[in-house]
Amino acid sequence: MSNVLVLNSGSSSLKFQILDPKAGAEVGPQVVGLVEQIGETKGHIVLKHEGEKYELTAEIPDHTVGLTLALELMETNGFGLSNIEIAAVGHRVVHGGTVFSGPQLVDDAALEKMRELIPLAPLHNPANIAGIEVAREMLPEVPHVAVFDTGFFQSMPAEAATYAINKDVADKYSVRRYGFHGTSHEFISQEVPALLGKPAAEVNQIVLHLGNGASASAVRGGKAIDTSMGMTPLAGLVMGTRSGDIDAGVVFHLSRQAGMSVDEIDTLLNHKSGVKGLCGFNDFRDLHAHREAGDAAAELAYRVYIHQLRHYIGAYMIELGRVDAITFTAGVGENDDYVRADALAELENFGIFIDPERNKVRGGARLISTDESPVKVFVVPTNEELAIARFALSLVV
Ligand code: AMP
């Protein structure tokens, strides 16, 4: 019995899957569930099981009601937890601070530590914790495991994690680089050595997680040594709606000259910037359609995106010294062959030779560099739920 219930609890939504990590990625989850509009009068539940869809609209005042109704809906349709035995529940938690460097079996003490970390992720951690509390109450016999978005990056050396700001202030307020998307970066960096036919300990790699949120990491011998996201997920690469790296002085300028409040600047940089802020849309399919139609703003947005991406690839090549593999993943990384080609164009002097035909092929994990390319370039689909399920199971069996 190795089924894992993976829960991703947001402030007004609950996403979950039941999957068996031992069955492999191809088998897919047995149940996929989404509870939306929690806290509103008309909440909505959608479940998928064996190709069928099950829906329910009801008042869902809180996460407890949401999960209860979802589990009941599963039960009445014959695929409830009385039929599917669960070995563990894996919970996605955004911020583990410097406390959690890997998956953690949840007990009261661990939950208390997670509560103490709320100031580091005030929008996300409370919802993650609410999900854990509800699930522990409903499934008290099953072990619960928290998997942190930041965990993988706790191995970064101090020089990569430290911001050059006043040490006393930084220490007092826990200001440092934590990194995010760690579950995806760890999952991908564990898949790549098998594709290379080498032990993970011998592989130096760059992982490019390019979705609506985007981040890059440098991984040496299975351990992260650097990443582009920072104290928050705002830093690093240009993203769908987030600016990525900017001069912190921009914040003071907007405050003083535009009279914007901290919350307004937060919204501007997190939700109204990035590719969307530059040209009006954040889906890369729209971006390319507008570029082809001669839209100058879309063209500039794309160039800024690629410029910043190459900036990080270059930095990580130097940090790693020798790079065995560069891997693209997430929505843009897995689907957008223009981005992949432009990110690594004209880097033959650095041992990177993309095969244009291979780059156009769609599908699962695949090589897109030439056979002779010293640096291998891959596309590997990310699967954060499978990664969380693997981590959860690894702690309980
Ligand atoms: P994610 O956050 O990983 O779900 O990625 C979502 C993003 O992937 C979307 O906003 C799109 O920009 C991008 N995306 C999804 N499908 C495609 C596609 N076929 N071609 C280009 N970009 C895509």
Side-chain angles (χ1 to χ4, degrees):
M1 192 261 294
S2 48
N3 291 314
V4 179
L5 169 64
V6 175
L7 260 186
N8 183 353
S9 174
S11 57
S12 65
S13 70
L14 256 179
K15 289 184 207 156
F16 64 91
Q17 290 192 2
I18 297 177
L19 69 165
D20 179 357
K22 290 198 173 151
E26 335 59 73
V27 175
Q30 297 178 47
V31 183
V32 177
L34 174 63
V35 184
E36 284 180 301
Q37 282 118 26
I38 296 175
E40 292 174 30
T41 41
K42 266 202 177 164
H44 192 221
I45 300 177
V46 190
L47 300 178
K48 285 184 195 149
H49 173 67
E50 289 179 352
E52 297 288 330
K53 206 168 159 183
Y54 305 84
E55 293 186 73
L56 177 77
T57 301
E59 188 178 352
I60 306 180
D62 54 33
H63 290 74
T64 308
V65 174
L67 192 58
T68 307
L69 289 177
L71 293 180
E72 278 174 14
L73 189 60
M74 285 163 57
E75 210 63 64
T76 43
N77 288 290
F79 54 97
L81 296 188
S82 57
N83 294 320
I84 307 173
E85 227 179 313
I86 299 291
V89 184
H91 297 270
R92 175 183 182 230
V93 180
V94 167
H95 218 305
T98 52
V99 179
F100 299 105
S101 56
Q104 170 71 40
L105 209 54
V106 177
D107 55 15
D108 292 342
L111 252 183
E112 193 44 44
K113 282 186 192 153
M114 285 180 228
R115 286 194 197 97
E116 286 165 16
L117 293 171
I118 286 175
L120 286 175
L123 299 181
H124 293 107
N125 271 29
N128 303 153
I129 292 168
I132 296 178
E133 287 171 339
V134 169
R136 277 182 95 204
E137 231 171 80
M138 296 177 69
L139 301 166
E141 309 299 329
V142 184
H144 292 252
V145 176
V147 179
F148 300 89
D149 262 22
T150 51
F152 185 51
F153 299 117
Q154 278 301 300
S155 61
M156 284 192 297
E159 62 270 25
T162 305
Y163 290 133
I165 67 168
N166 181 279
K167 185 179 174 349
D168 298 337
V169 172
D171 288 348
K172 187 166 176 196
Y173 294 100
S174 307
V175 178
R176 49 164 277 160
R177 178 175 289 117
Y178 293 96
F180 297 86
H181 290 151
T183 310
S184 176
H185 285 273
E186 188 165 7
F187 176 79
I188 298 298
S189 61
Q190 286 174 350
E191 297 285 299
V192 167
L195 296 172
L196 290 169
K198 283 187 179 176
E202 289 172 18
V203 176
N204 285 356
Q205 52 182 317
I206 296 173
V207 178
L208 303 169
H209 176 112
L210 310 178
N212 200 28
S215 57
S217 69
V219 181
R220 176 180 287 141
K223 297 223 176 303
I225 61 161
D226 210 345
T227 192
S228 58
M229 281 182 167
M231 172 161 179
T232 76
L234 178 57
L237 304 176
V238 175
M239 308 181 214
T241 66
R242 291 179 223 151
S243 62
D245 292 341
I246 55 163
D247 175 357
V250 170
V251 176
F252 319 137
H253 178 76
L254 292 176
S255 168
R256 291 182 188 127
Q257 304 303 321
M260 293 174 77
S261 68
V262 169
D263 285 343
E264 283 169 338
I265 300 173
D266 188 329
T267 302
L268 175 85
L269 298 179
N270 274 300
H271 302 291
K272 296 183 181 173
S273 295
V275 173
K276 186 170 191 176
L278 286 173
C279 71
F281 19 76
N282 54 325
D283 191 304
F284 273 62
R285 288 162 286 197
D286 298 333
L287 184 70
H288 294 307
H290 280 79
R291 287 176 65 216
E292 272 159 35
D295 179 337
E299 185 59 36
L300 178 62
Y302 182 69
R303 287 204 197 162
V304 173
Y305 179 92
I306 294 293
H307 174 85
Q308 183 78 330
L309 184 54
R310 288 171 68 91
H311 185 93
Y312 271 92
I313 293 167
Y316 292 168
M317 286 176 69
I318 298 294
E319 275 186 54
L320 288 165
R322 186 203 78 234
V323 178
D324 301 296
I326 299 176
T327 306
F328 290 89
T329 193
V332 176
E334 290 167 30
N335 294 300
D336 195 321
D337 51 299
Y338 297 106
V339 166
R340 293 192 300 258
D342 290 332
L344 298 177
E346 294 172 27
L347 296 180
E348 291 80 8
N349 283 341
F350 296 91
I352 300 172
F353 295 80
I354 294 289
D355 181 323
E357 292 311 313
R358 285 180 180 170
N359 186 33
K360 287 205 184 80
V361 176
R362 305 184 74 85
R366 56 206 188 266
L367 181 77
I368 60 164
S369 51
T370 63
D371 288 338
E372 295 73 33
S373 183
V375 178
K376 302 294 178 218
V377 182
F378 295 102
V379 178
V380 178
T382 194
N383 191 336
E384 289 174 77
E385 290 78 16
L386 176 61
I388 291 174
R390 276 186 192 166
F391 290 135
L393 204 60
S394 72
L395 286 201
V396 302
V397 290

